[in-house]
Amino acid sequence: MGESNLSMTSDFTLMGLFSHSGPPLVLLSLVVTIFTVGLLGNTVLLFLICTDSRLHTPMYFLLSQLSLLDVGFPLVTIPKMAIDFLQGESSISFQGCGAQMFFLMLMGVSEGVVLSFMSYDRYVAVCHPLHYPLLMRRQVCLLMMGTSWLSGVLVACIQTSIILHFPYCASRAVDHFFCELPALLKLSCADTSAYDLALSISGVLILLLPLSLIATSYSQVLGAIFRMHSAEARHKAFTTCCSHIAVVGLFYGAAVFMYMVPGTYHSPQQDNVVSLFYSLVTPTLNPLIYSLRNREVRMALVKVLDRAGFRSKR
């Protein structure tokens, strides 16, 4: 009981993103720039999807969920990290650390599920276009949205409640720029070997099941692309599909490295870089890869700019 009380009343110290690298101001400027670009891109995309009726389709509905998650993901970590660096303060309360872990797991798991549903949407659109209105009707899209958010909440509740019940009675220095489960687990003074094993096993279900659906869907899509008669259509579809696969690979590759590879096989510096990819870089790339290259989105953006008077008059 004494160890539990000590854990709940003591703050953690975040070592920060720049503790192992330099020059810090240059790196901070780069991180803040990427954060701003990603936040702007996802916010604009959300606005366009909500306001333009031509984008009220299943594909863009799922993209809006992805953009919503990509707005929240960096907001949980980057502003605090930047403020802590500028103020020279790096502490976070026990409750604040738990809140960070909860929201990051919620959004991380939800995003993985959304990406798998998006791959299914592309599979239906390319391989079964005549059945698309039925297979991707509104009720199915709402069920997909509910499943993604519910799975995120469920996993976040279970994992956060478990990790916060471990006693933390030794070092309070988290060798990370935010409270991530593997980094915090290293500080526990209890035997966590059983939980480490359970975490790796649960990672198979949480990560590999959606990844299997993504791999199956895109393999079918690629097969359909290679059977297309038009070389131009084949090239366009192949380029789009490969860019989607690249973003999925970045997100899932980083997540698998963090949550399925035992901590003894990677260093804190590697953890920081990998976490930066899926918490900042991937959310910034998603609107550029998935949507802002699409003709419908560009037309919606031009329409908004025309209304706002940003385009020059002829």
Side-chain angles (χ1 to χ4, degrees):
M1 182 63 72
E3 289 181 347
S4 177
N5 289 337
L6 179 61
S7 294
M8 297 186 66
T9 56
S10 301
D11 291 346
F12 290 103
T13 299
L14 299 174
M15 298 302 292
L17 181 61
F18 313 115
S19 59
H20 303 286
S21 58
L25 280 176
V26 175
L27 294 175
L28 177 65
S29 300
L30 179 61
V31 168
V32 171
T33 300
I34 296 174
F35 168 75
T36 304
V37 170
L39 192 63
L40 181 62
N42 283 294
T43 302
V44 168
L45 183 56
L46 270 172
F47 175 77
L48 294 177
I49 293 174
C50 291
T51 57
D52 196 306
S53 59
R54 291 172 297 183
L55 301 182
H56 293 174
T57 64
M59 182 181 75
Y60 288 108
F61 173 77
L62 292 174
L63 281 171
S64 71
Q65 298 303 303
L66 182 66
S67 291
L68 185 60
L69 292 165
D70 285 341
V71 167
F73 226 131
L75 282 175
V76 177
T77 58
I78 302 303
K80 175 170 175 53
M81 181 268 294
I83 293 172
D84 286 350
F85 176 81
L86 294 174
Q87 293 181 345
E89 174 65 36
S90 58
S91 65
I92 184 171
S93 67
F94 184 83
Q95 292 78 8
C97 197
Q100 261 197 348
M101 282 194 298
F102 175 83
F103 285 111
L104 286 170
M105 275 189 279
L106 187 159
M107 289 181 286
V109 173
S110 298
E111 180 155 336
V113 177
V114 168
L115 287 172
S116 67
F117 287 146
M118 289 172 63
S119 70
Y120 173 75
D121 171 77
R122 291 300 83 203
Y123 159 72
V124 175
V126 173
C127 300
H128 303 282
L130 297 179
H131 296 95
Y132 186 84
L134 176 64
L135 295 176
M136 293 300 297
R137 59 191 183 276
R138 179 176 174 80
Q139 294 89 334
V140 174
C141 292
L142 291 176
L143 180 62
M144 288 179 172
M145 180 193 70
T147 301
S148 63
W149 285 97
L150 184 60
S151 60
V153 170
L154 183 62
V155 171
C157 285
I158 294 173
Q159 298 285 14
T160 304
S161 62
I162 292 175
I163 195 69
L164 292 184
H165 274 83
F166 281 115
Y168 298 94
C169 48
S171 171
R172 313 292 294 187
V174 182
D175 205 349
H176 213 295
F177 67 98
F178 62 85
C179 286
E180 189 162 41
L181 193 152
L184 198 65
L185 199 62
K186 295 176 182 178
L187 302 182
S188 176
C189 52
D191 181 15
T192 61
S193 56
Y195 180 68
D196 284 330
L197 178 61
L199 185 63
S200 297
I201 295 173
S202 65
V204 174
L205 299 175
I206 296 170
L207 295 174
L208 294 190
L209 282 180
L211 190 57
S212 299
L213 177 59
I214 291 172
T216 302
S217 297
Y218 279 124
S219 63
Q220 294 294 320
V221 170
L222 286 172
I225 290 173
F226 287 126
R227 291 192 296 270
M228 291 180 177
H229 298 293
S230 170
E232 182 180 354
R234 185 167 57 246
H235 179 266
K236 181 180 178 181
F238 181 76
T239 302
T240 301
C241 187
C242 286
S243 62
H244 291 188
I245 293 173
V247 173
V248 169
L250 281 175
F251 177 83
Y252 271 100
V256 167
F257 180 83
M258 286 299 301
Y259 288 93
M260 292 187 63
V261 177
T264 53
Y265 292 95
H266 42 92
S267 66
Q269 296 95 316
Q270 291 173 324
D271 290 347
N272 275 305
V273 173
V274 170
S275 297
L276 193 65
F277 260 93
Y278 74 77
S279 66
L280 178 64
V281 177
T282 303
T284 302
L285 289 176
N286 282 342
L288 300 174
I289 296 297
Y290 280 106
S291 298
L292 296 181
R293 296 170 57 196
N294 293 358
R295 181 172 177 271
E296 295 89 347
V297 176
R298 292 200 302 269
M299 290 175 61
L301 182 59
V302 168
K303 184 178 177 182
V304 169
L305 293 177
D306 279 337
R307 287 178 180 176
F310 286 117
R311 299 188 76 204
S312 60
K313 296 182 180 179
R314 294 184 178 181

